[in-house]
Amino acid sequence: MTANLGVVQETMLIPLVIKANETLREKARIRDEKAVEIMKQLQMDTEKYDKFMSHEGVVARTIIFDQALKQFLEKYPEAVCVNLGCGLDARFYRVDNGRILWYDIDLPDAMTVRKQFFTESDRVHQIAGSILKADWTQTVETGSPLIFIIEGVLMYFSQEQVKTLLSILAGAFPEFVLLAELMPPMAVKQAKHHDTLKSTNATFRWGTKSGKELEALCPKAHEACNRLLYPDVLCDRKKGGINMAKKKENVFLEEMAPFLSKRYEGEKAASIMAMAWKRYREICEENAQEPKAMYMHTRERIYPGIAAFDALTANGEAREQAADFIEDYYAWRSRRMADMLHKLMKIPGCCRLVPKFFKSMTRSNFGPKAGFQAVYYETTNKELRFDMIKCPYFDICKAYGCEEIVRAYCHADDICYGSMHPRIEWGRTQTLGDGGTCCDFKITVALHGTSGSGDAGEIEKVISKLCFV
């Protein structure tokens, strides 16, 4: 069987071949039996479509996209999912819960090939057409939570075409979530050196340094996600505008509600959450003049913990019990991040980048402007050692009279990073949260063999999206 595809459509063979070859490995990180089936039937040389960096990139983004979509479907089990520029993707079979409604959309030549391997059903529909023309929107059923998936597509569009697509979505659907892959401009400029793309006649045309650049492309977009290359929920359009789905007022409090309901009866849980939100807004207002460099720590993590602690104690919980709840909740969040980080560490050579990454991350995000002070020690590239002697997590919690919850943040680090990889040793002998004079960090990598390190910059970007718990 052969496939007659256009220039851009040919690129859909890259993820297909990589997913198939990965599935056939002894210790596969992803499994896509449909990809294996299709690859065996296609009569073509597939070697050029599977090179090292592309292989690791496709595996990483497949893991992240699948995980993000599954999390969305946990919250909205009867969602409508629309896969834009689907190619030969079989994501439906990996995430199906028996209740979702799924649409696959691609250009006619791509869809002709796809229909040789995929069949429609009452919950799976295939649409042949251009996503840059609005007519396909009339076939998508609305009324349930709606999510659009765009993987490996936008980088082949011009900026004007990206703007057209966003305008079509914003104009046709009153509410939606967009799960999209963005590419940085540097990768676009280096397209001719891309290990698999250079074997095709396609090229990258558009990239963005920050998702916020999308605002200018769609007048109704108030803000967009700050993600590079790898995916996240990009935007959530409600009541006339597009807002970040994960840039809610505070995701920690948003996700605390269902966790809280498992511990307390409905009325008490509702009372605690209402008071936590009220207290959180009060604390933000009290600190309205703080530097924006502190926001990612204070408004996203510290203040929610303090607010929840105050709400729990105000509703009759003992301080120790309230602190235990905060620690349990942050531990639960950290275990989710640890699982994703563990999967990414399976990328060959990734673990050796951890000391370098942590050094870069701590200097840029945990510096004096954010309220931290650290002492770094000279080490090799296999090790990172530093003492955090001043930390806003400790200082602010102490100022608000709830030092007990500092340990929740410290222990969350241990859960998230403590089992990243068998070769990575993560440890501290003391923390401020447990009464120490500092948090003495030590990260060591025991290297074996000479496996390649991959593209350090891009792997660091992937890890950095998961490393804040």
Side-chain angles (χ1 to χ4, degrees):
M1 185 177 296
T2 58
N4 297 313
L5 299 168
V7 172
V8 173
Q9 293 88 300
E10 183 189 1
T11 62
M12 74 184 192
L13 298 174
I14 297 173
L16 171 78
V17 171
I18 290 173
K19 290 174 186 176
N21 287 338
E22 179 67 25
T23 301
L24 294 172
R25 288 185 173 183
E26 183 178 353
K27 296 182 179 180
R29 292 163 289 178
I30 59 173
R31 301 204 63 83
D32 192 331
E33 301 297 342
K34 193 69 175 179
V36 175
E37 174 192 332
I38 296 172
M39 188 177 72
K40 289 180 177 179
Q41 294 186 53
L42 289 175
Q43 298 174 3
M44 60 178 62
D45 176 20
T46 59
E47 183 179 355
K48 66 179 181 179
Y49 298 122
D50 190 356
K51 303 298 181 181
F52 174 75
M53 283 307 300
S54 287
H55 188 107
E56 299 307 318
V58 168
V59 170
R61 82 181 188 190
T62 299
I63 291 171
I64 299 172
F65 263 84
D66 284 358
Q67 182 66 29
L69 187 53
K70 286 177 181 178
Q71 289 178 1
F72 179 82
L73 296 178
E74 285 178 4
K75 188 173 183 180
Y76 305 107
E78 296 184 350
V80 175
C81 307
V82 184
N83 194 4
L84 300 175
C86 60
L88 293 171
D89 181 53
R91 179 161 283 116
F92 169 80
Y93 300 98
R94 297 196 299 272
V95 304
D96 182 35
N97 60 7
R99 300 165 65 184
I100 58 175
L101 180 61
W102 190 275
Y103 293 87
D104 286 306
I105 305 176
D106 212 326
L107 292 168
D109 58 344
M111 194 56 68
T112 297
V113 175
R114 181 180 179 84
K115 287 183 177 181
Q116 297 178 57
F117 306 103
F118 295 89
T119 58
E120 293 186 298
S121 68
D122 58 340
R123 291 191 299 112
V124 181
H125 304 280
Q126 301 188 101
I127 303 173
S130 170
I131 61 175
L132 298 177
K133 296 181 180 179
D135 52 351
W136 63 267
T137 63
Q138 304 300 315
T139 64
V140 175
E141 185 175 314
T142 58
S144 297
L146 177 63
I147 183 168
F148 291 99
I149 303 108
I150 310 182
E151 178 185 7
V153 174
L154 295 181
M155 63 284 295
Y156 298 107
F157 284 0
S158 67
Q159 179 174 293
E160 190 62 30
Q161 288 174 320
V162 174
K163 178 179 179 180
T164 297
L165 176 59
L166 291 175
S167 297
I168 288 173
L169 297 181
F173 304 100
E175 297 182 2
F176 64 84
V177 169
L178 181 63
L179 181 64
E181 178 185 10
L182 304 180
M183 177 170 283
M186 180 60 70
V188 175
K189 293 179 181 179
Q190 298 298 318
K192 64 182 179 180
H193 302 298
H194 192 279
D195 57 357
T196 52
L197 190 69
K198 65 184 181 183
S199 297
T200 73
N201 291 318
T203 188
F204 298 141
R205 302 178 64 191
W206 178 80
T208 172
K209 294 181 179 179
S210 165
K212 291 183 178 180
E213 294 180 4
L214 294 182
E215 293 179 21
L217 302 184
C218 182
K220 294 182 180 179
H222 297 317
E223 57 181 345
C225 79
N226 184 22
R227 294 291 186 267
L228 298 179
L229 186 60
Y230 289 95
D232 202 345
V233 176
L234 176 61
C235 53
D236 186 0
R237 182 177 189 275
K238 293 186 176 182
K239 298 180 180 179
I242 298 180
N243 295 290
M244 290 174 59
K246 288 199 173 180
K247 193 67 173 180
K248 299 177 181 178
E249 183 175 1
N250 185 266
V251 70
F252 275 64
L253 287 181
E254 290 278 358
E255 294 189 355
M256 185 178 288
F259 190 85
L260 189 71
S261 65
K262 295 178 181 179
R263 297 284 186 94
Y264 304 98
E265 295 181 357
E267 188 172 328
K268 184 173 184 179
S271 175
I272 293 172
M273 282 309 306
M275 190 170 294
W277 277 112
K278 181 175 183 295
R279 183 67 179 125
Y280 171 74
R281 291 163 185 144
E282 290 174 351
I283 298 173
C284 288
E285 182 63 27
E286 291 166 4
N287 297 277
Q289 301 304 314
E290 70 183 359
K292 290 186 177 181
M294 298 184 71
Y295 282 9
M296 66 183 299
H297 302 286
T298 56
R299 302 194 174 208
E300 293 187 21
R301 293 167 181 82
I302 302 174
Y303 297 163
I306 296 173
F309 180 84
D310 288 351
L312 285 161
T313 54
N315 276 269
E317 293 299 305
R319 294 179 67 88
E320 183 176 352
Q321 290 177 320
D324 286 344
F325 173 83
I326 300 299
E327 185 169 358
D328 288 345
Y329 173 60
Y330 277 67
W332 170 73
R333 290 185 57 86
S334 296
R335 282 190 289 272
R336 293 194 306 172
M337 293 296 101
D339 181 60
M340 297 177 71
L341 192 56
H342 180 70
K343 292 176 181 177
L344 285 175
M345 284 296 146
K346 293 181 180 180
I347 297 176
C350 190
C351 69
R352 70 174 62 223
L353 299 174
V354 170
K356 176 183 176 182
F357 161 72
F358 268 91
K359 185 175 182 179
S360 174
M361 182 183 72
T362 53
R363 288 185 182 279
S364 62
N365 297 323
F366 293 76
K369 291 182 180 180
F372 296 86
Q373 185 177 347
V375 176
Y376 291 88
Y377 298 94
E378 291 294 331
T379 58
T380 67
N381 60 0
K382 300 178 183 178
E383 182 179 85
L384 171 65
R385 288 181 57 224
F386 64 95
D387 293 341
M388 192 65 72
I389 59 178
K390 180 176 174 56
C391 172
Y393 289 80
F394 177 79
D395 295 339
I396 295 173
C397 288
K398 182 177 180 179
Y400 276 92
C402 54
E403 293 179 54
E404 301 98 315
I405 71 171
V406 179
R407 69 174 190 260
Y409 303 110
C410 296
H411 294 175
D413 285 346
D414 294 332
I415 293 170
C416 188
Y417 310 132
S419 59
M420 285 186 286
H421 192 279
R423 296 180 185 174
I424 299 175
E425 180 183 344
W426 159 278
R428 292 174 294 192
T429 64
Q430 60 176 318
T431 68
L432 292 168
D434 289 316
T437 58
C438 68
C439 297
D440 57 343
F441 291 85
K442 182 179 179 181
I443 305 169
T444 305
V445 179
L447 297 180
H448 302 289
T450 57
S451 60
S453 62
D455 189 327
E458 296 305 339
I459 293 177
E460 286 180 16
K461 290 172 187 175
V462 181
I463 301 173
S464 66
K465 308 311 174 189
L466 304 174
C467 282
F468 283 106
V469 296

